[in-house]
């Protein structure tokens, strides 16, 4: 009798175990497929680093989340509020990451809850190395523990850096964190930030949703520093060499925006935003959005530019040609429209006189492999001024000031 009961209990146990396994399997599957469905358009939001560096706090993040709503940025599509480096101070005896109590006195969950209460999403930063770039504890050796903690707080986005990596293999390091995110029970966008050093565009798809392609952006249009900092044009030139790797769910990350931080002219900031829009780059504002001047607001909130960035086809612009220092970028859009950006790279005024008649733009995504602007006369709309600029039947003319861009959408 005893052996029958033992057998019966064992049988129930096995059934439960296999049911539990199936359940776990299902959950695991669904989290993985949810992971794959994230970031179908380039992520939009705000990140603390460019403007505030290590000066992050609960107060700052809440004020920034409020400002995203009150400024109209939320309605325009900005969604993720991301705390960059310096929110963490150490690990407790169980290995749990310790939040800086001086600046986040209530821990991280109430901050995430607040962000969520406004209908926004919450992001955080860590590093694949033993320390972050500012010397705070990194996630090396703690990946699964950290992502469980993030999921408990309600994290929706993780930016993952590459300082103190101690010679790890980049793909393996990012894959480990990706596996940890996929196992944590919460869909979290994964932003790979190894500065393009190990060609993440070649292996990042499926591991993360976006990857940095250069060293850190500087608030300048055309500049390059010995230590690696780069300006807008330097990032553009890199992005144009790898545009085929970017698409829905896997984006080249051209870096966080500098618009509103004061280092560039109006023409340069407009070009910066137009380039990011054309290149389908994540749009993470990097300025103080609590008090933006009219120009900054106008740029960051331009609905037509954002629509080009967020176009569901997810194509990235290619450089059709450079004429007299004017780069001509072309991006195919899902409704058959085409966006054009004419960028004056020169430090002087230059006459743009573009004859659509003679130019054939070639890209496999455009109809029949090519687009004859003359044969299909299209209406031209200026993205910044919202004015109609005639059709492609006549040449497009404009004096472009130094670093100015003409940003237009051609309608069918
Ligand atoms: C690196 C990253 C930056 C920022 C800092 C924080 O430099 O590339 O974007 O996250 O670390 O320390």
């Amino acid at each position: 009798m005893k052996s029958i009961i033992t057998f019966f209990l064992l049988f129930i146990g096995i059934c439960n175990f296999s049911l539990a396994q199936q359940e776990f399997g299902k959950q695991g599957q669904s989290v993985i497929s949810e992971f794959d469905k994230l970031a179908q358009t380039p992520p939009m939001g705000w990140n603390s680093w460019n403007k505030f560096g290590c000066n992050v706090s609960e107060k700052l993040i809440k004020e920034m989340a409020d400002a995203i709503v009150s400024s109209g940025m939320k309605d325009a599509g900005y969604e993720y509020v991301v705390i960059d480096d310096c929110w963490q101070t150490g690990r407790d005896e169980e290995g749990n990451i310790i939040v800086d109590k001086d600046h986040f006195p209530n821990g991280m969950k109430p901050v995430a809850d607040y962000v969520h209460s406004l209908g926004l999403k919450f992001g955080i930063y860590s590093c694949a190395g033993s320390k972050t770039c500012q010397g705070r504890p990194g996630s090396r050796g703690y990946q699964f523990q950290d992502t469980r903690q993030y999921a408990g707080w309600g994290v929706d986005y993780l930016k993952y850096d590459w300082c103190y990596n101690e010679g790890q293999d980049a793909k393996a390091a990012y894959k480990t964190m990706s596996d940890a995110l996929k196992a944590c029970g919460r869909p979290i966008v994964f932003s790979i930030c190894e500065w393009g050093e190990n060609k993440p565009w070649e292996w990042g798809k499926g591991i993360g949703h976006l990857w940095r392609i250069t060293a850190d952006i500087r608030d300048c249009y055309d500049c390059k520093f010995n230590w690696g900092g780069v300006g807008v044009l330097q990032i553009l030139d890199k992005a144009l060499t790898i545009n085929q790797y970017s698409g829905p769910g896997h984006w080249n990350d051209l870096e966080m925006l500098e618009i509103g931080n004061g280092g560039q002219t109006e023409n340069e900031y407009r070009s910066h935003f137009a380039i990011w829009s054309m290149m389908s780059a994540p749009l993470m504002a990097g300025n103080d959005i609590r008090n933006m001047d009219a120009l900054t607001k106008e740029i960051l909130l331009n609905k037509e530019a954002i629509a080009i960035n967020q176009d569901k086809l997810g194509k990235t612009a290619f450089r059709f040609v450079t004429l007299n220092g004017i780069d001509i970028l072309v991006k195919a859009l899902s409704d058959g429209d085409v966006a054009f950006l004419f960028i004056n790279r020169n430090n002087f005024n230059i006459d743009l006189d573009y004859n659509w008649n003679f130019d054939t733009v070639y890209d496999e995504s455009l109809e029949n492999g090519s687009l004859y602007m003359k044969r299909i006369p299209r209406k031209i709309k200026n993205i910044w001024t919202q004015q109609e600029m005639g059709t492609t039947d006549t040449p497009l003319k404009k004096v472009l000031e130094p670093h100015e861009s003409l940003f237009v959408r051609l309608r069918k």
Side-chain angles (χ1 to χ4, degrees):
M1 183 63 182
K2 201 175 156 200
S3 64
I4 294 175
I5 293 173
T6 311
F7 174 77
F8 186 64
L9 288 176
L10 201 67
F11 179 72
I12 293 177
I14 290 170
C15 289
N16 276 344
F17 176 71
S18 68
L19 273 177
Q21 241 190 351
Q22 273 176 25
E23 221 14 72
F24 177 79
K26 264 193 246 159
Q27 276 180 10
Q29 281 302 324
S30 72
V31 171
I32 290 172
S33 63
E34 277 182 56
F35 184 91
D36 288 339
K37 281 189 217 137
L38 293 169
Q40 290 303 299
T41 57
M44 294 175 68
W46 174 87
N47 175 298
S48 56
W49 182 253
N50 282 358
K51 175 71 184 174
F52 296 98
C54 266
N55 296 319
V56 288
S57 65
E58 172 175 339
K59 183 171 176 292
L60 180 87
I61 301 306
K62 285 183 169 175
E63 287 177 6
M64 232 36 92
D66 287 338
I68 289 186
V69 177
S70 61
S71 63
M73 286 177 73
K74 180 187 170 206
D75 289 341
Y78 295 87
E79 188 179 21
Y80 294 95
V81 180
V82 182
I83 309 178
D84 208 282
D85 208 344
C86 302
W87 59 266
Q88 60 286 71
T89 53
R91 290 193 182 273
D92 66 17
E93 63 284 355
E94 281 161 3
N96 296 314
I97 193 91
I98 301 172
V99 176
D100 176 354
K101 280 274 179 260
D102 292 338
H103 297 100
F104 295 91
N106 303 301
M108 214 40 100
K109 186 156 181 346
V111 185
D113 288 348
Y114 186 78
V115 170
H116 290 149
S117 74
L118 300 177
L120 298 167
K121 291 186 172 156
F122 179 65
I124 214 160
Y125 160 102
S126 188
C127 185
S130 53
K131 293 182 196 172
T132 72
C133 295
Q134 300 305 311
R136 306 302 178 96
S139 289
R140 186 173 188 189
Y142 295 91
Q143 294 89 341
F144 284 78
Q145 186 166 2
D146 282 356
T147 55
R148 272 200 300 276
Q149 246 178 305
Y150 301 158
W153 293 338
V155 168
D156 306 295
Y157 183 108
L158 174 68
K159 172 175 167 183
Y160 202 51
D161 218 331
W162 192 229
C163 285
Y164 297 94
N165 64 71
E166 291 150 354
Q168 293 175 79
D169 175 75
K171 181 177 175 186
Y174 282 92
K175 170 89 168 52
T176 303
M177 191 40 126
S178 178
D179 290 344
L181 287 169
K182 287 169 185 166
C184 80
R186 188 177 170 90
I188 296 180
V189 170
F190 189 27
S191 156
I192 296 172
C193 174
E194 58 72 80
W195 324 306
E197 286 191 348
N198 301 276
K199 301 188 176 165
W201 45 89
E202 288 181 356
W203 47 260
K205 187 176 170 186
I207 291 180
H209 302 98
L210 58 155
W211 44 79
R212 282 268 301 277
I213 60 169
T214 65
D216 292 6
I217 191 170
R218 295 289 96 188
D219 189 8
C220 51
Y221 191 68
D222 187 2
C223 60
K224 193 168 183 167
F225 295 86
N226 289 340
W227 54 270
V230 280
V232 166
L233 284 186
Q234 286 64 39
I235 297 176
L236 169 66
D237 288 340
K238 178 67 197 178
L240 285 168
T241 66
I242 50 173
N243 50 3
Q244 72 274 24
Y245 293 99
S246 204
H250 52 100
W251 307 101
N252 285 335
D253 176 2
L254 275 65
E255 250 289 32
M256 301 167 303
L257 300 165
E258 289 286 7
I259 295 149
N261 284 336
Q264 301 181 49
T265 65
E266 172 173 346
N267 282 334
E268 291 170 345
Y269 276 146
R270 285 187 194 275
S271 294
H272 177 10
F273 199 71
I275 290 168
W276 265 235
S277 299
M278 290 293 282
M279 300 306 289
S280 302
L283 296 177
M284 302 298 286
N287 58 314
D288 186 345
I289 53 181
R290 293 168 301 185
N291 36 51
M292 293 188 276
D293 59 22
L295 174 69
T296 305
K297 252 185 159 175
E298 189 208 317
I299 296 175
L300 291 178
L301 289 172
N302 186 297
K303 290 207 162 64
E304 303 224 8
I306 293 171
I308 288 169
N309 173 270
Q310 294 287 301
D311 185 80
K312 64 178 191 291
L313 194 58
K315 291 294 289 184
T316 297
F318 63 97
R319 179 159 48 198
F320 168 50
V321 69
T322 303
L323 294 173
N324 302 326
I326 302 173
D327 272 346
I328 304 182
L329 305 191
V330 188
K331 177 176 177 175
L333 302 171
S334 52
D335 61 359
D337 285 5
V338 185
F340 268 71
L341 184 67
F342 300 84
I343 311 164
N344 180 12
R345 298 177 70 108
N346 303 298
N347 296 325
F348 45 83
N349 284 4
I350 193 143
D351 284 325
L352 171 71
D353 185 355
Y354 187 68
N355 192 340
W356 307 95
N357 202 11
F358 299 122
D359 292 311
T360 301
V361 175
Y362 182 80
D363 176 64
E364 61 180 22
S365 66
L366 298 176
E367 53 203 60
N368 305 324
S370 60
L371 183 77
Y372 298 95
M373 294 298 165
K374 179 70 179 174
R375 243 185 27 209
I376 313 168
R378 287 167 182 261
K379 286 189 183 149
I380 304 169
K381 185 169 184 193
N382 186 321
I383 299 294
W384 293 122
T385 64
Q386 302 289 302
Q387 281 166 348
E388 298 295 335
M389 298 184 74
T391 73
T392 51
D393 277 333
T394 50
L396 183 68
K397 294 186 183 192
K398 183 173 180 358
V399 179
L400 291 177
E401 294 171 6
H403 302 170
E404 186 183 4
S405 303
L406 176 57
F407 191 13
V408 296
R409 181 172 181 133
L410 271 51
R411 292 215 212 83
K412 262 195 156 163

